[in-house]
Structures are given as C-alpha cells and as structure tokens.
Amino acid sequence: MNELMQNLLKLQSLEFSPTQDDSTAALIAELRDKIPPQIVGHYDRLRVRGKKGLAAVQNQVCTGCHMRLPLAVIMTLKHDQDIQLCDSCGRYLYLAPEAPAAPITETPAAKPARKSARRKKVAKP
Ligand SMILES: [Zn+2]
C-alpha cells in the first residue's frame, strides 16, 4: 500500500475512533496536511454522510458495498500504481491484508453423537 493510502487509512481510523483526545486531533491535522486536498475533499464528502471514505477489498469484492470489482482495479491496487475508487459506492479502495486473520478451519458441524447401536443380529437358535 502506498503512503497516501496508509495516511488515509490512519486518518479514517482516527476520525472514526470513539475516543479522541488532543493528541488525536493533532495527528488528524498532521495527516490531513499530508494528503492532497482533493483526496481529503472526496473522503470528507463521504464522511459527512456517515460513510467511511475507504473500503477494503476482499476476494475482489468491495467491502463497502459488496460489489465485485473489475480485475483491472485489483491489479492496479496490487501493483500500487494508482489510487482507485469503487465504481458503485465511491470509496477509496485498498487491498485487505491477505494474511489470514481468521483461519478458516472448516470444522464439520458437530454431529449429534449417535450411538452406533446397531445390533448385530444374533441368530438365536
Ligand atoms: Zn464499493
């Protein structure tokens, strides 16, 4: 992820954080200073509507609106070539870290332990 997106992501997590103090405000001001005004502007337009300005991409899907993204967009993000906006919700896109945060372990649904009370047919005399 390029520095710009990292800054945006940091900004968003600070501004959406429920606990803000003076140092948060200073950090926010500092980040806003680093990010180009037109990008902060777009981010703010989303924010005032209560939306997050950034959405992670997971499995080629925008987590903001759950629309599938074109492969070209994913490739651009992968190569860090440019910032990308989601076509449907207008959020800035970033690739979610691919490290499996929650390992998907397919635990088979616990079957009710059915006693294998299969009686053998005992041939009684
Ligand atoms: Zn979207």
Side-chain angles (χ1 to χ4, degrees):
M1 202 190 297
N2 59 36
E3 202 191 336
L4 171 61
M5 288 307 289
Q6 280 177 10
N7 287 339
L8 258 181
L9 202 58
K10 253 188 259 173
L11 179 65
Q12 174 171 275
S13 65
L14 288 173
E15 291 190 327
F16 278 84
S17 151
T19 50
Q20 287 187 21
D21 53 27
D22 288 350
S23 67
T24 319
L27 213 55
I28 286 173
E30 195 183 309
L31 284 167
R32 284 181 170 272
D33 235 31
K34 282 186 195 169
I35 303 165
Q38 71 270 27
I39 291 173
V40 171
H42 181 80
Y43 163 86
D44 278 340
R45 276 193 291 279
L46 288 160
R47 200 169 61 95
V48 293
R49 285 187 269 159
K51 284 182 177 181
K52 290 193 172 183
L54 283 86
V57 177
Q58 264 173 344
N59 304 322
Q60 279 187 51
V61 172
C62 167
T63 55
C65 62
H66 304 287
M67 292 300 288
R68 201 169 179 83
L69 297 157
L71 198 61
V73 170
I74 310 287
M75 290 320 281
T76 308
L77 287 172
K78 273 200 174 145
H79 295 290
D80 249 352
Q81 286 164 330
D82 204 357
I83 41 175
Q84 294 287 311
L85 283 172
C86 174
D87 262 354
S88 14
C89 66
R91 289 173 171 91
Y92 288 109
L93 296 168
Y94 67 95
L95 287 178
E98 281 186 25
I104 304 159
T105 44
E106 280 195 37
T107 42
K111 283 177 191 166
R114 193 185 289 172
K115 283 177 189 165
S116 56
R118 199 187 290 169
R119 287 182 199 156
K120 278 178 188 169
K121 278 180 187 171
V122 185
K124 282 182 184 174

